[in-house]
Amino acid sequence: MSPSTITILFLLFAIVMFVTEKIPLGVTSMIVCIGLVVTKVLDVKTAFAGFIDSNVILFVAMFIVGGAFFETGMANEIGGIVTKFAKTERMLIIAIMVIVGVMSGVLSNTGTAAVLIPVVIGIAAKSGYSRSRLLMPLVFAAAMGGNLSLIGAPGNLIAQSALQEQLGMSFGFFEYAIVGVPILICGILFYATIGYRLLPNREPKDDGAFDQTQDFSNVPQWKKVLSLVILVLTLAAMVLEDKIGIKLCISGCIGALALILTGVISEKNALKSIDLKTIFLFGGTLSLASALSKTGAGEQIADLVINALGENPSPYVLTFVVFMLCCVLTNFMSNTATTALMVPICLSVAQGMGADPRAVLMACVIGGSCAYATPIGMPANTMVIGAGGYTFMDYVKSGAPLIVIATIVSMIILPIAFPFFP
């Protein structure tokens, strides 16, 4: 069998196992990772590169920063302040989604989610509402918020650089928001109304730093204040990533080390706060994303779909197909990998048709951000799987309707704002 065929078989195996959860998600990821090495599709270094991926390093660091923020009781105190203003669960969901959505527009969506997850767990503990019903809207809002500006998500910049390098064209800083803002508004309204019933109500096992039964009365005030100060400074460093030249994951590591060195969190509790299930799930499935890219299997799937449209497809049909293809791929490959794979294909399709490449790339980027239906589509989804006690199907049930909404909104706005043949 060719490497691309083996990769597609492993992809199908992963989908079936993720959906049925006959074996734990992290174990499925590792079977795929090891299987790709045994079948010689990937070498050991490439297969395990996911475990030193910058997002995995960010996960580990922010689990510790979040763990300290929770363990000192500071997350609960801030949760108490927020719950004074948002009296009902619906109001909390709206408030969380608005704050996260706006922050994700100007920060990294992964960084925003990483910083706010412990705050939202604190809000859940203080309000008495299930954290599983608040964490999922948080990560969905982070994904939607990534479409508000040029710097909201890595995929936005991938499309921009390809457009500039190959054609000397570009998107404006807030041009993605033409589609991104209506999707975010519709998403918030959906989860405040009909979608509210679809949010999972799970009771996650309380272990590690997120144990809600803890008594915080004996925690010294300086520890609480320092956990907040370090969290704020970490967030500030993430906001100023380009200015200070320090990557998100390194800012997170500095914050985590500062908390351990100052004694805000012990080394033992810092290690306990790291969710290994998340690390194995994300690190393992990155090997599948590498294989899809390296063997050309991802490109084969994309080419097959686009070639099926024939010689002169309708611009509306092409927009829809590109959008849906990116939607499907992004839920199994990571939004950054999907955009990186699809951008060159979309550019060549646009040039072959004589269409405006900005129109095709906008459909590609917005579709590539719709990683709502699986826990591996984007880093933020993976980060909450342990804290929320979610199953794979929780993401499908809660996230698939949001893909439908994003598709409808995009199909209305894209042809008007970015016509194929201006």
Side-chain angles (χ1 to χ4, degrees), residues 181-219:
V181 169
I183 290 175
L184 179 61
I185 292 168
C186 291
I188 293 169
L189 290 174
F190 175 71
Y191 288 109
T193 53
I194 306 162
Y196 176 76
R197 295 177 183 177
L198 299 174
L199 294 170
N201 192 3
R202 300 279 174 198
E203 284 302 322
K205 287 205 307 281
D206 273 319
D207 53 3
F210 299 120
D211 180 1
Q212 291 182 358
T213 59
Q214 272 183 273
D215 175 18
F216 301 113
S217 57
N218 298 326
V219 178

PDB file of all heavy atoms in Angstrom, residues 181-219:
ATOM      1  N   VAL A 181     -17.622  38.768  12.368  1.00  0.00           N
ATOM      2  CA  VAL A 181     -18.521  39.389  13.364  1.00  0.00           C
ATOM      3  C   VAL A 181     -19.935  38.804  13.285  1.00  0.00           C
ATOM      4  O   VAL A 181     -20.494  38.402  14.314  1.00  0.00           O
ATOM      5  CB  VAL A 181     -18.529  40.933  13.225  1.00  0.00           C
ATOM      6  CG1 VAL A 181     -19.648  41.548  14.065  1.00  0.00           C
ATOM      7  CG2 VAL A 181     -17.184  41.513  13.654  1.00  0.00           C
ATOM      8  N   PRO A 182     -20.552  38.711  12.086  1.00  0.00           N
ATOM      9  CA  PRO A 182     -21.897  38.103  12.025  1.00  0.00           C
ATOM     10  C   PRO A 182     -21.916  36.653  12.539  1.00  0.00           C
ATOM     11  O   PRO A 182     -22.877  36.247  13.193  1.00  0.00           O
ATOM     12  CB  PRO A 182     -22.247  38.151  10.534  1.00  0.00           C
ATOM     13  CG  PRO A 182     -21.420  39.263   9.990  1.00  0.00           C
ATOM     14  CD  PRO A 182     -20.152  39.249  10.772  1.00  0.00           C
ATOM     15  N   ILE A 183     -20.842  35.879  12.256  1.00  0.00           N
ATOM     16  CA  ILE A 183     -20.790  34.488  12.755  1.00  0.00           C
ATOM     17  C   ILE A 183     -20.741  34.486  14.282  1.00  0.00           C
ATOM     18  O   ILE A 183     -21.451  33.724  14.935  1.00  0.00           O
ATOM     19  CB  ILE A 183     -19.585  33.721  12.167  1.00  0.00           C
ATOM     20  CG1 ILE A 183     -19.792  33.439  10.671  1.00  0.00           C
ATOM     21  CG2 ILE A 183     -19.358  32.395  12.906  1.00  0.00           C
ATOM     22  CD1 ILE A 183     -18.602  32.794   9.967  1.00  0.00           C
ATOM     23  N   LEU A 184     -19.915  35.370  14.855  1.00  0.00           N
ATOM     24  CA  LEU A 184     -19.798  35.447  16.322  1.00  0.00           C
ATOM     25  C   LEU A 184     -21.136  35.847  16.954  1.00  0.00           C
ATOM     26  O   LEU A 184     -21.577  35.227  17.930  1.00  0.00           O
ATOM     27  CB  LEU A 184     -18.704  36.445  16.720  1.00  0.00           C
ATOM     28  CG  LEU A 184     -18.477  36.648  18.226  1.00  0.00           C
ATOM     29  CD1 LEU A 184     -18.041  35.338  18.903  1.00  0.00           C
ATOM     30  CD2 LEU A 184     -17.437  37.736  18.488  1.00  0.00           C
ATOM     31  N   ILE A 185     -21.805  36.844  16.382  1.00  0.00           N
ATOM     32  CA  ILE A 185     -23.097  37.300  16.921  1.00  0.00           C
ATOM     33  C   ILE A 185     -24.130  36.176  16.846  1.00  0.00           C
ATOM     34  O   ILE A 185     -24.828  35.884  17.821  1.00  0.00           O
ATOM     35  CB  ILE A 185     -23.591  38.567  16.172  1.00  0.00           C
ATOM     36  CG1 ILE A 185     -22.675  39.757  16.493  1.00  0.00           C
ATOM     37  CG2 ILE A 185     -25.043  38.898  16.536  1.00  0.00           C
ATOM     38  CD1 ILE A 185     -22.886  40.977  15.607  1.00  0.00           C
ATOM     39  N   CYS A 186     -24.213  35.522  15.676  1.00  0.00           N
ATOM     40  CA  CYS A 186     -25.177  34.420  15.505  1.00  0.00           C
ATOM     41  C   CYS A 186     -24.856  33.253  16.453  1.00  0.00           C
ATOM     42  O   CYS A 186     -25.768  32.629  16.998  1.00  0.00           O
ATOM     43  CB  CYS A 186     -25.182  33.924  14.052  1.00  0.00           C
ATOM     44  SG  CYS A 186     -25.878  35.124  12.905  1.00  0.00           S
ATOM     45  N   GLY A 187     -23.558  32.984  16.637  1.00  0.00           N
ATOM     46  CA  GLY A 187     -23.143  31.904  17.539  1.00  0.00           C
ATOM     47  C   GLY A 187     -23.553  32.182  18.977  1.00  0.00           C
ATOM     48  O   GLY A 187     -24.078  31.302  19.672  1.00  0.00           O
ATOM     49  N   ILE A 188     -23.342  33.425  19.426  1.00  0.00           N
ATOM     50  CA  ILE A 188     -23.721  33.799  20.797  1.00  0.00           C
ATOM     51  C   ILE A 188     -25.235  33.708  20.973  1.00  0.00           C
ATOM     52  O   ILE A 188     -25.723  33.147  21.970  1.00  0.00           O
ATOM     53  CB  ILE A 188     -23.200  35.220  21.142  1.00  0.00           C
ATOM     54  CG1 ILE A 188     -21.667  35.214  21.201  1.00  0.00           C
ATOM     55  CG2 ILE A 188     -23.781  35.699  22.482  1.00  0.00           C
ATOM     56  CD1 ILE A 188     -21.027  36.594  21.279  1.00  0.00           C
ATOM     57  N   LEU A 189     -25.976  34.229  19.999  1.00  0.00           N
ATOM     58  CA  LEU A 189     -27.455  34.177  20.077  1.00  0.00           C
ATOM     59  C   LEU A 189     -27.946  32.728  20.084  1.00  0.00           C
ATOM     60  O   LEU A 189     -28.896  32.389  20.788  1.00  0.00           O
ATOM     61  CB  LEU A 189     -28.080  34.942  18.892  1.00  0.00           C
ATOM     62  CG  LEU A 189     -27.917  36.459  18.919  1.00  0.00           C
ATOM     63  CD1 LEU A 189     -28.442  37.078  17.622  1.00  0.00           C
ATOM     64  CD2 LEU A 189     -28.652  37.067  20.123  1.00  0.00           C
ATOM     65  N   PHE A 190     -27.266  31.872  19.294  1.00  0.00           N
ATOM     66  CA  PHE A 190     -27.664  30.459  19.219  1.00  0.00           C
ATOM     67  C   PHE A 190     -27.527  29.775  20.585  1.00  0.00           C
ATOM     68  O   PHE A 190     -28.447  29.105  21.046  1.00  0.00           O
ATOM     69  CB  PHE A 190     -26.817  29.735  18.167  1.00  0.00           C
ATOM     70  CG  PHE A 190     -27.063  28.250  18.100  1.00  0.00           C
ATOM     71  CD1 PHE A 190     -28.254  27.745  17.589  1.00  0.00           C
ATOM     72  CD2 PHE A 190     -26.106  27.345  18.565  1.00  0.00           C
ATOM     73  CE1 PHE A 190     -28.494  26.374  17.533  1.00  0.00           C
ATOM     74  CE2 PHE A 190     -26.329  25.977  18.507  1.00  0.00           C
ATOM     75  CZ  PHE A 190     -27.530  25.490  17.996  1.00  0.00           C
ATOM     76  N   TYR A 191     -26.344  29.962  21.244  1.00  0.00           N
ATOM     77  CA  TYR A 191     -26.125  29.282  22.529  1.00  0.00           C
ATOM     78  C   TYR A 191     -26.903  29.919  23.678  1.00  0.00           C
ATOM     79  O   TYR A 191     -27.067  29.307  24.727  1.00  0.00           O
ATOM     80  CB  TYR A 191     -24.627  29.177  22.847  1.00  0.00           C
ATOM     81  CG  TYR A 191     -23.967  28.171  21.953  1.00  0.00           C
ATOM     82  CD1 TYR A 191     -23.097  28.564  20.940  1.00  0.00           C
ATOM     83  CD2 TYR A 191     -24.259  26.816  22.059  1.00  0.00           C
ATOM     84  CE1 TYR A 191     -22.529  27.639  20.084  1.00  0.00           C
ATOM     85  CE2 TYR A 191     -23.700  25.883  21.200  1.00  0.00           C
ATOM     86  CZ  TYR A 191     -22.837  26.296  20.225  1.00  0.00           C
ATOM     87  OH  TYR A 191     -22.293  25.377  19.362  1.00  0.00           O
ATOM     88  N   ALA A 192     -27.407  31.139  23.454  1.00  0.00           N
ATOM     89  CA  ALA A 192     -28.247  31.771  24.472  1.00  0.00           C
ATOM     90  C   ALA A 192     -29.704  31.325  24.330  1.00  0.00           C
ATOM     91  O   ALA A 192     -30.513  31.547  25.231  1.00  0.00           O
ATOM     92  CB  ALA A 192     -28.151  33.288  24.349  1.00  0.00           C
ATOM     93  N   THR A 193     -30.019  30.689  23.185  1.00  0.00           N
ATOM     94  CA  THR A 193     -31.418  30.272  22.938  1.00  0.00           C
ATOM     95  C   THR A 193     -31.501  28.761  22.689  1.00  0.00           C
ATOM     96  O   THR A 193     -31.444  27.980  23.624  1.00  0.00           O
ATOM     97  CB  THR A 193     -31.993  31.075  21.747  1.00  0.00           C
ATOM     98  OG1 THR A 193     -31.092  30.950  20.619  1.00  0.00           O
ATOM     99  CG2 THR A 193     -32.151  32.560  22.093  1.00  0.00           C
ATOM    100  N   ILE A 194     -31.603  28.355  21.423  1.00  0.00           N
ATOM    101  CA  ILE A 194     -31.801  26.936  21.087  1.00  0.00           C
ATOM    102  C   ILE A 194     -30.603  26.087  21.507  1.00  0.00           C
ATOM    103  O   ILE A 194     -30.750  25.021  22.103  1.00  0.00           O
ATOM    104  CB  ILE A 194     -32.011  26.765  19.553  1.00  0.00           C
ATOM    105  CG1 ILE A 194     -33.137  27.662  19.061  1.00  0.00           C
ATOM    106  CG2 ILE A 194     -32.305  25.316  19.195  1.00  0.00           C
ATOM    107  CD1 ILE A 194     -33.148  27.906  17.576  1.00  0.00           C
ATOM    108  N   GLY A 195     -29.396  26.554  21.211  1.00  0.00           N
ATOM    109  CA  GLY A 195     -28.177  25.784  21.481  1.00  0.00           C
ATOM    110  C   GLY A 195     -27.910  25.567  22.958  1.00  0.00           C
ATOM    111  O   GLY A 195     -27.131  24.691  23.333  1.00  0.00           O
ATOM    112  N   TYR A 196     -28.565  26.356  23.789  1.00  0.00           N
ATOM    113  CA  TYR A 196     -28.411  26.245  25.255  1.00  0.00           C
ATOM    114  C   TYR A 196     -28.718  24.818  25.721  1.00  0.00           C
ATOM    115  O   TYR A 196     -28.067  24.294  26.612  1.00  0.00           O
ATOM    116  CB  TYR A 196     -29.363  27.261  25.892  1.00  0.00           C
ATOM    117  CG  TYR A 196     -29.425  27.238  27.394  1.00  0.00           C
ATOM    118  CD1 TYR A 196     -28.398  27.787  28.152  1.00  0.00           C
ATOM    119  CD2 TYR A 196     -30.522  26.691  28.065  1.00  0.00           C
ATOM    120  CE1 TYR A 196     -28.451  27.782  29.539  1.00  0.00           C
ATOM    121  CE2 TYR A 196     -30.582  26.677  29.445  1.00  0.00           C
ATOM    122  CZ  TYR A 196     -29.543  27.226  30.178  1.00  0.00           C
ATOM    123  OH  TYR A 196     -29.595  27.214  31.544  1.00  0.00           O
ATOM    124  N   ARG A 197     -29.704  24.196  25.067  1.00  0.00           N
ATOM    125  CA  ARG A 197     -30.108  22.832  25.446  1.00  0.00           C
ATOM    126  C   ARG A 197     -29.119  21.766  24.972  1.00  0.00           C
ATOM    127  O   ARG A 197     -29.141  20.638  25.442  1.00  0.00           O
ATOM    128  CB  ARG A 197     -31.477  22.513  24.844  1.00  0.00           C
ATOM    129  CG  ARG A 197     -32.585  23.395  25.401  1.00  0.00           C
ATOM    130  CD  ARG A 197     -33.896  23.096  24.717  1.00  0.00           C
ATOM    131  NE  ARG A 197     -34.946  23.982  25.194  1.00  0.00           N
ATOM    132  CZ  ARG A 197     -36.183  23.980  24.726  1.00  0.00           C
ATOM    133  NH1 ARG A 197     -36.508  23.129  23.764  1.00  0.00           N
ATOM    134  NH2 ARG A 197     -37.088  24.807  25.191  1.00  0.00           N
ATOM    135  N   LEU A 198     -28.288  22.124  23.996  1.00  0.00           N
ATOM    136  CA  LEU A 198     -27.346  21.142  23.434  1.00  0.00           C
ATOM    137  C   LEU A 198     -26.041  21.060  24.221  1.00  0.00           C
ATOM    138  O   LEU A 198     -25.242  20.154  24.007  1.00  0.00           O
ATOM    139  CB  LEU A 198     -27.023  21.507  21.976  1.00  0.00           C
ATOM    140  CG  LEU A 198     -28.198  21.526  20.994  1.00  0.00           C
ATOM    141  CD1 LEU A 198     -27.735  22.036  19.642  1.00  0.00           C
ATOM    142  CD2 LEU A 198     -28.822  20.138  20.864  1.00  0.00           C
ATOM    143  N   LEU A 199     -25.807  22.031  25.113  1.00  0.00           N
ATOM    144  CA  LEU A 199     -24.540  22.037  25.855  1.00  0.00           C
ATOM    145  C   LEU A 199     -24.491  20.857  26.829  1.00  0.00           C
ATOM    146  O   LEU A 199     -25.468  20.606  27.547  1.00  0.00           O
ATOM    147  CB  LEU A 199     -24.375  23.359  26.609  1.00  0.00           C
ATOM    148  CG  LEU A 199     -24.219  24.594  25.715  1.00  0.00           C
ATOM    149  CD1 LEU A 199     -24.301  25.866  26.538  1.00  0.00           C
ATOM    150  CD2 LEU A 199     -22.895  24.546  24.948  1.00  0.00           C
ATOM    151  N   PRO A 200     -23.384  20.117  26.859  1.00  0.00           N
ATOM    152  CA  PRO A 200     -23.316  18.915  27.699  1.00  0.00           C
ATOM    153  C   PRO A 200     -23.307  19.238  29.186  1.00  0.00           C
ATOM    154  O   PRO A 200     -22.721  20.242  29.599  1.00  0.00           O
ATOM    155  CB  PRO A 200     -21.987  18.271  27.276  1.00  0.00           C
ATOM    156  CG  PRO A 200     -21.179  19.378  26.711  1.00  0.00           C
ATOM    157  CD  PRO A 200     -22.140  20.353  26.109  1.00  0.00           C
ATOM    158  N   ASN A 201     -23.967  18.395  29.955  1.00  0.00           N
ATOM    159  CA  ASN A 201     -23.969  18.567  31.410  1.00  0.00           C
ATOM    160  C   ASN A 201     -23.224  17.388  32.024  1.00  0.00           C
ATOM    161  O   ASN A 201     -23.803  16.364  32.334  1.00  0.00           O
ATOM    162  CB  ASN A 201     -25.411  18.650  31.927  1.00  0.00           C
ATOM    163  CG  ASN A 201     -25.453  19.115  33.370  1.00  0.00           C
ATOM    164  OD1 ASN A 201     -24.435  19.425  33.956  1.00  0.00           O
ATOM    165  ND2 ASN A 201     -26.636  19.148  33.937  1.00  0.00           N
ATOM    166  N   ARG A 202     -21.913  17.536  32.138  1.00  0.00           N
ATOM    167  CA  ARG A 202     -21.065  16.454  32.639  1.00  0.00           C
ATOM    168  C   ARG A 202     -20.596  16.761  34.054  1.00  0.00           C
ATOM    169  O   ARG A 202     -20.472  17.924  34.431  1.00  0.00           O
ATOM    170  CB  ARG A 202     -19.832  16.281  31.744  1.00  0.00           C
ATOM    171  CG  ARG A 202     -20.158  15.931  30.298  1.00  0.00           C
ATOM    172  CD  ARG A 202     -20.455  14.470  30.142  1.00  0.00           C
ATOM    173  NE  ARG A 202     -20.901  14.139  28.800  1.00  0.00           N
ATOM    174  CZ  ARG A 202     -21.547  13.031  28.496  1.00  0.00           C
ATOM    175  NH1 ARG A 202     -21.836  12.148  29.432  1.00  0.00           N
ATOM    176  NH2 ARG A 202     -21.923  12.796  27.255  1.00  0.00           N
ATOM    177  N   GLU A 203     -20.295  15.716  34.787  1.00  0.00           N
ATOM    178  CA  GLU A 203     -19.700  15.890  36.118  1.00  0.00           C
ATOM    179  C   GLU A 203     -18.275  15.358  36.061  1.00  0.00           C
ATOM    180  O   GLU A 203     -18.033  14.179  36.298  1.00  0.00           O
ATOM    181  CB  GLU A 203     -20.514  15.133  37.181  1.00  0.00           C
ATOM    182  CG  GLU A 203     -21.817  15.819  37.567  1.00  0.00           C
ATOM    183  CD  GLU A 203     -21.610  17.231  38.111  1.00  0.00           C
ATOM    184  OE1 GLU A 203     -20.626  17.451  38.846  1.00  0.00           O
ATOM    185  OE2 GLU A 203     -22.416  18.118  37.772  1.00  0.00           O
ATOM    186  N   PRO A 204     -17.306  16.212  35.728  1.00  0.00           N
ATOM    187  CA  PRO A 204     -15.928  15.730  35.619  1.00  0.00           C
ATOM    188  C   PRO A 204     -15.376  15.338  36.984  1.00  0.00           C
ATOM    189  O   PRO A 204     -15.789  15.886  38.006  1.00  0.00           O
ATOM    190  CB  PRO A 204     -15.166  16.930  35.062  1.00  0.00           C
ATOM    191  CG  PRO A 204     -16.003  18.111  35.401  1.00  0.00           C
ATOM    192  CD  PRO A 204     -17.422  17.641  35.442  1.00  0.00           C
ATOM    193  N   LYS A 205     -14.460  14.354  36.974  1.00  0.00           N
ATOM    194  CA  LYS A 205     -13.801  13.959  38.225  1.00  0.00           C
ATOM    195  C   LYS A 205     -12.945  15.130  38.678  1.00  0.00           C
ATOM    196  O   LYS A 205     -12.181  15.684  37.889  1.00  0.00           O
ATOM    197  CB  LYS A 205     -12.882  12.749  37.994  1.00  0.00           C
ATOM    198  CG  LYS A 205     -13.609  11.443  37.769  1.00  0.00           C
ATOM    199  CD  LYS A 205     -12.718  10.264  38.152  1.00  0.00           C
ATOM    200  CE  LYS A 205     -11.365  10.306  37.476  1.00  0.00           C
ATOM    201  NZ  LYS A 205     -11.394   9.852  36.098  1.00  0.00           N
ATOM    202  N   ASP A 206     -13.088  15.526  39.937  1.00  0.00           N
ATOM    203  CA  ASP A 206     -12.266  16.622  40.436  1.00  0.00           C
ATOM    204  C   ASP A 206     -10.937  16.075  40.923  1.00  0.00           C
ATOM    205  O   ASP A 206     -10.870  15.381  41.924  1.00  0.00           O
ATOM    206  CB  ASP A 206     -12.975  17.356  41.571  1.00  0.00           C
ATOM    207  CG  ASP A 206     -13.884  18.439  41.040  1.00  0.00           C
ATOM    208  OD1 ASP A 206     -13.450  19.120  40.101  1.00  0.00           O
ATOM    209  OD2 ASP A 206     -15.008  18.583  41.530  1.00  0.00           O
ATOM    210  N   ASP A 207      -9.912  16.367  40.151  1.00  0.00           N
ATOM    211  CA  ASP A 207      -8.589  15.948  40.595  1.00  0.00           C
ATOM    212  C   ASP A 207      -7.604  17.058  40.280  1.00  0.00           C
ATOM    213  O   ASP A 207      -7.905  17.996  39.570  1.00  0.00           O
ATOM    214  CB  ASP A 207      -8.161  14.634  39.928  1.00  0.00           C
ATOM    215  CG  ASP A 207      -8.272  14.711  38.418  1.00  0.00           C
ATOM    216  OD1 ASP A 207      -8.629  15.788  37.911  1.00  0.00           O
ATOM    217  OD2 ASP A 207      -7.999  13.697  37.752  1.00  0.00           O
ATOM    218  N   GLY A 208      -6.421  16.937  40.820  1.00  0.00           N
ATOM    219  CA  GLY A 208      -5.389  17.931  40.527  1.00  0.00           C
ATOM    220  C   GLY A 208      -5.793  19.308  41.019  1.00  0.00           C
ATOM    221  O   GLY A 208      -6.432  19.468  42.048  1.00  0.00           O
ATOM    222  N   ALA A 209      -5.420  20.318  40.253  1.00  0.00           N
ATOM    223  CA  ALA A 209      -5.585  21.692  40.703  1.00  0.00           C
ATOM    224  C   ALA A 209      -7.019  22.190  40.620  1.00  0.00           C
ATOM    225  O   ALA A 209      -7.333  23.237  41.154  1.00  0.00           O
ATOM    226  CB  ALA A 209      -4.685  22.590  39.869  1.00  0.00           C
ATOM    227  N   PHE A 210      -7.885  21.448  39.913  1.00  0.00           N
ATOM    228  CA  PHE A 210      -9.244  21.958  39.737  1.00  0.00           C
ATOM    229  C   PHE A 210     -10.244  21.289  40.676  1.00  0.00           C
ATOM    230  O   PHE A 210     -11.405  21.114  40.355  1.00  0.00           O
ATOM    231  CB  PHE A 210      -9.676  21.812  38.265  1.00  0.00           C
ATOM    232  CG  PHE A 210      -8.784  22.580  37.336  1.00  0.00           C
ATOM    233  CD1 PHE A 210      -8.079  21.932  36.333  1.00  0.00           C
ATOM    234  CD2 PHE A 210      -8.629  23.937  37.476  1.00  0.00           C
ATOM    235  CE1 PHE A 210      -7.244  22.648  35.483  1.00  0.00           C
ATOM    236  CE2 PHE A 210      -7.802  24.666  36.644  1.00  0.00           C
ATOM    237  CZ  PHE A 210      -7.107  24.029  35.640  1.00  0.00           C
ATOM    238  N   ASP A 211      -9.790  20.901  41.854  1.00  0.00           N
ATOM    239  CA  ASP A 211     -10.656  20.276  42.853  1.00  0.00           C
ATOM    240  C   ASP A 211     -11.528  21.355  43.498  1.00  0.00           C
ATOM    241  O   ASP A 211     -11.034  22.245  44.184  1.00  0.00           O
ATOM    242  CB  ASP A 211      -9.776  19.593  43.911  1.00  0.00           C
ATOM    243  CG  ASP A 211     -10.604  18.923  44.996  1.00  0.00           C
ATOM    244  OD1 ASP A 211     -11.840  18.980  44.906  1.00  0.00           O
ATOM    245  OD2 ASP A 211     -10.002  18.360  45.927  1.00  0.00           O
ATOM    246  N   GLN A 212     -12.837  21.286  43.260  1.00  0.00           N
ATOM    247  CA  GLN A 212     -13.725  22.337  43.739  1.00  0.00           C
ATOM    248  C   GLN A 212     -14.034  22.216  45.238  1.00  0.00           C
ATOM    249  O   GLN A 212     -14.652  23.100  45.813  1.00  0.00           O
ATOM    250  CB  GLN A 212     -15.047  22.304  42.953  1.00  0.00           C
ATOM    251  CG  GLN A 212     -14.856  22.728  41.513  1.00  0.00           C
ATOM    252  CD  GLN A 212     -16.155  22.739  40.750  1.00  0.00           C
ATOM    253  OE1 GLN A 212     -17.204  22.394  41.269  1.00  0.00           O
ATOM    254  NE2 GLN A 212     -16.093  23.159  39.506  1.00  0.00           N
ATOM    255  N   THR A 213     -13.646  21.124  45.848  1.00  0.00           N
ATOM    256  CA  THR A 213     -13.969  20.936  47.271  1.00  0.00           C
ATOM    257  C   THR A 213     -12.905  21.566  48.167  1.00  0.00           C
ATOM    258  O   THR A 213     -13.007  21.514  49.381  1.00  0.00           O
ATOM    259  CB  THR A 213     -14.073  19.429  47.592  1.00  0.00           C
ATOM    260  OG1 THR A 213     -12.812  18.814  47.281  1.00  0.00           O
ATOM    261  CG2 THR A 213     -15.168  18.775  46.776  1.00  0.00           C
ATOM    262  N   GLN A 214     -11.878  22.163  47.558  1.00  0.00           N
ATOM    263  CA  GLN A 214     -10.788  22.733  48.343  1.00  0.00           C
ATOM    264  C   GLN A 214     -11.254  23.887  49.227  1.00  0.00           C
ATOM    265  O   GLN A 214     -12.137  24.650  48.866  1.00  0.00           O
ATOM    266  CB  GLN A 214      -9.683  23.246  47.416  1.00  0.00           C
ATOM    267  CG  GLN A 214      -8.659  22.183  47.067  1.00  0.00           C
ATOM    268  CD  GLN A 214      -7.557  22.772  46.209  1.00  0.00           C
ATOM    269  OE1 GLN A 214      -7.700  22.819  45.002  1.00  0.00           O
ATOM    270  NE2 GLN A 214      -6.491  23.230  46.813  1.00  0.00           N
ATOM    271  N   ASP A 215     -10.588  24.032  50.389  1.00  0.00           N
ATOM    272  CA  ASP A 215     -10.836  25.161  51.284  1.00  0.00           C
ATOM    273  C   ASP A 215      -9.703  26.164  51.066  1.00  0.00           C
ATOM    274  O   ASP A 215      -8.525  25.837  51.249  1.00  0.00           O
ATOM    275  CB  ASP A 215     -10.856  24.656  52.731  1.00  0.00           C
ATOM    276  CG  ASP A 215     -11.000  25.802  53.717  1.00  0.00           C
ATOM    277  OD1 ASP A 215     -11.412  26.891  53.289  1.00  0.00           O
ATOM    278  OD2 ASP A 215     -10.681  25.603  54.907  1.00  0.00           O
ATOM    279  N   PHE A 216     -10.061  27.371  50.642  1.00  0.00           N
ATOM    280  CA  PHE A 216      -9.034  28.368  50.317  1.00  0.00           C
ATOM    281  C   PHE A 216      -8.768  29.341  51.463  1.00  0.00           C
ATOM    282  O   PHE A 216      -8.000  30.275  51.312  1.00  0.00           O
ATOM    283  CB  PHE A 216      -9.455  29.158  49.068  1.00  0.00           C
ATOM    284  CG  PHE A 216      -9.675  28.300  47.856  1.00  0.00           C
ATOM    285  CD1 PHE A 216     -10.946  28.151  47.305  1.00  0.00           C
ATOM    286  CD2 PHE A 216      -8.620  27.633  47.255  1.00  0.00           C
ATOM    287  CE1 PHE A 216     -11.156  27.349  46.199  1.00  0.00           C
ATOM    288  CE2 PHE A 216      -8.822  26.834  46.137  1.00  0.00           C
ATOM    289  CZ  PHE A 216     -10.090  26.692  45.609  1.00  0.00           C
ATOM    290  N   SER A 217      -9.402  29.133  52.623  1.00  0.00           N
ATOM    291  CA  SER A 217      -9.301  30.109  53.713  1.00  0.00           C
ATOM    292  C   SER A 217      -7.892  30.208  54.300  1.00  0.00           C
ATOM    293  O   SER A 217      -7.514  31.235  54.856  1.00  0.00           O
ATOM    294  CB  SER A 217     -10.299  29.765  54.830  1.00  0.00           C
ATOM    295  OG  SER A 217     -10.060  28.442  55.294  1.00  0.00           O
ATOM    296  N   ASN A 218      -7.109  29.125  54.184  1.00  0.00           N
ATOM    297  CA  ASN A 218      -5.761  29.136  54.762  1.00  0.00           C
ATOM    298  C   ASN A 218      -4.686  29.627  53.789  1.00  0.00           C
ATOM    299  O   ASN A 218      -3.515  29.680  54.143  1.00  0.00           O
ATOM    300  CB  ASN A 218      -5.381  27.727  55.240  1.00  0.00           C
ATOM    301  CG  ASN A 218      -6.314  27.233  56.335  1.00  0.00           C
ATOM    302  OD1 ASN A 218      -6.769  28.035  57.141  1.00  0.00           O
ATOM    303  ND2 ASN A 218      -6.613  25.947  56.333  1.00  0.00           N
ATOM    304  N   VAL A 219      -5.078  29.955  52.565  1.00  0.00           N
ATOM    305  CA  VAL A 219      -4.081  30.394  51.567  1.00  0.00           C
ATOM    306  C   VAL A 219      -3.664  31.832  51.873  1.00  0.00           C
ATOM    307  O   VAL A 219      -4.514  32.717  51.987  1.00  0.00           O
ATOM    308  CB  VAL A 219      -4.668  30.313  50.128  1.00  0.00           C
ATOM    309  CG1 VAL A 219      -3.657  30.817  49.109  1.00  0.00           C
ATOM    310  CG2 VAL A 219      -5.088  28.884  49.809  1.00  0.00           C
TER     311      VAL A 219
END
